[in-house]
Amino acid sequence: MMDETTNRPGISGSAGNDELLRFALKLDGTVSGLVAALSLLGARALDPLLGLPTWLHWAQGGFLAVYAAALWYAGTRPAVIRPIAVSAVLLNAVWAVGCTAIIAAGRAWFPLTPFGDAYVGFIGVAVMVFGAMQWAGLGRAGNAGNQP
């Protein structure tokens, strides 16, 4: 039996109510996966360029590889896995605060280069945007039952 609102077998809900959430999860997952690969494969080259230690690139890359896989998994199921989506919003907020703290600490934590400051700042802004998109997507998807 096809559900007329989603054109998917056996799935109910309003058409498109979770599309923003799915898009935001997959976009975050794609970018996180790319950053993971860059961090894991290019850690030694990035160290002098950014001023962040190799171990931090490897730790970030390992975390982001798992994170990216979880986001893709959550965003590609017949029904979005909300606990993963909510966790993504929270982790993006924490990540943005961490980026801000790294920049605010100046050279006290890491000897960031000017390019490193720009990189960490860009990442901080990107994760805030991903989190905001996911939050908005969660709101839209949550309102699916309230539609006439």
Side-chain angles (χ1 to χ4, degrees):
M1 175 177 181
M2 292 291 283
D3 175 27
E4 296 172 7
T5 61
T6 63
N7 293 324
R8 295 182 190 149
I11 297 176
S12 61
S14 298
N17 278 339
D18 68 353
E19 291 308 310
L20 175 60
L21 180 56
R22 287 179 186 282
F23 174 75
L25 290 171
K26 291 188 282 187
L27 179 63
D28 191 359
T30 299
V31 172
S32 295
L34 292 171
V35 173
L38 178 66
S39 296
L40 292 170
L41 299 174
R44 293 191 196 279
L46 290 172
D47 187 353
L49 182 64
L50 301 177
L52 295 167
T54 301
W55 67 264
L56 186 61
H57 291 292
W58 285 335
Q60 171 183 264
F63 171 79
L64 287 177
V66 173
Y67 178 73
L71 293 181
W72 266 94
Y73 182 77
T76 57
R77 300 301 93 197
V80 172
I81 302 171
R82 290 183 63 84
I84 293 176
V86 170
S87 296
V89 171
L90 296 173
L91 287 169
N92 279 323
V94 169
W95 201 277
V97 169
C99 288
T100 303
I102 287 172
I103 293 172
R107 306 286 183 256
W109 289 356
F110 303 109
L112 289 177
T113 65
F115 190 68
D117 282 330
Y119 173 80
V120 172
F122 177 77
I123 295 296
V125 170
V127 298
M128 284 191 298
V129 169
F130 294 149
M133 289 173 61
Q134 291 157 352
W135 180 257
L138 280 164
R140 284 188 189 179
N143 291 330
N146 299 332
Q147 301 299 321

